[in-house]
């Protein structure tokens, strides 16, 4: 599945004003954060599962090592951290689950709808066109 890398300038639009529910991983790309690497693998596997089940959820990541964290309401005490926002919500919900199965159960509990499958391959060269111009 697609995991969208969110940066400071796109955070508001992609996460806070998303037209679907969002699972956000806040992590650090610093190589000393080995648990961040492990969590990132779980997030990618979770995104694959959601794509296969056609769940209407945006799986996103935000790197505090390169972006800082400018958004109120997301209290980052440690990384990695996960938050869930239902579509239209303005207050994020902290997610304590740290497994693919647990995250999938969370989505089932939230009773998210399904969507038509669409897979986009995004590269550095096509990122702006695909992400910003596809709407």
């Amino acid at each position: 599945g697609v995991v969208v890398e969110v940066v400071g300038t796109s955070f508001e639009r992609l996460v806070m004003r998303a037209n679907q529910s969002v699972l956000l991983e806040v992590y650090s790309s610093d190589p000393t954060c080995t648990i961040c690497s492990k969590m990132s693998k779980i997030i990618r596997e979770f995104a694959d599962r959601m794509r296969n089940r056609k769940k209407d959820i945006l799986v996103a990541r935000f790197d505090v090592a390169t972006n800082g964290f400018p958004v109120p309401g997301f209290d980052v005490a440690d990384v990695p951290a996960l938050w869930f926002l239902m579509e239209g919500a303005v207050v994020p919900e902290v997610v304590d689950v740290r497994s693919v199965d647990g995250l999938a159960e969370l989505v089932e509990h939230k009773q998210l709808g399904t969507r038509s499958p669409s897979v986009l391959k995004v590269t550095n060269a096509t990122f702006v066109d695909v992400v910003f111009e596809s709407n």
Side-chain angles (χ1 to χ4, degrees):
V2 176
V3 178
V4 176
E5 282 288 334
V6 179
V7 296
T9 57
S10 65
F11 189 91
E12 177 72 23
R13 183 176 46 79
L14 293 177
V15 175
M16 300 306 294
R17 290 187 278 145
N19 60 358
Q20 64 193 122
S21 295
V22 177
L23 179 75
L24 175 68
E25 174 195 15
V26 177
Y27 73 103
S28 174
S29 58
D30 186 317
T32 62
C33 186
T34 56
I35 194 164
C36 290
S37 298
K38 292 175 185 174
M39 191 70 219
S40 292
K41 290 176 187 171
I42 291 169
I43 292 300
R44 284 191 293 276
E45 188 177 329
F46 169 74
D48 286 341
R49 187 176 295 183
M50 293 300 98
R51 185 195 66 221
N52 292 339
R53 293 182 182 179
K54 299 178 179 76
K55 289 296 181 182
D56 191 18
I57 185 170
L58 170 68
V59 181
R61 302 176 74 220
F62 187 89
D63 183 3
V64 295
T66 59
N67 293 293
F69 206 77
V71 181
F74 290 81
D75 184 23
V76 179
D78 203 5
V79 291
L82 298 176
W83 280 279
F84 182 82
L85 287 94
M86 285 293 287
E87 181 180 353
V90 293
V91 177
E93 174 185 335
V94 175
V95 176
D96 293 327
V97 177
R98 296 291 188 259
S99 70
V100 175
D101 289 338
L103 292 170
E105 286 175 23
L106 172 76
V107 167
E108 291 302 321
H109 176 72
K110 299 291 184 184
Q111 298 179 344
L112 298 185
T114 58
R115 61 186 158 107
S116 300
S118 62
V119 177
L120 298 173
K121 180 168 176 120
V122 180
T123 65
N124 286 340
T126 63
F127 180 82
V128 170
D129 291 334
V130 170
V131 173
F132 299 114
E133 306 300 328
S134 65
N135 294 337

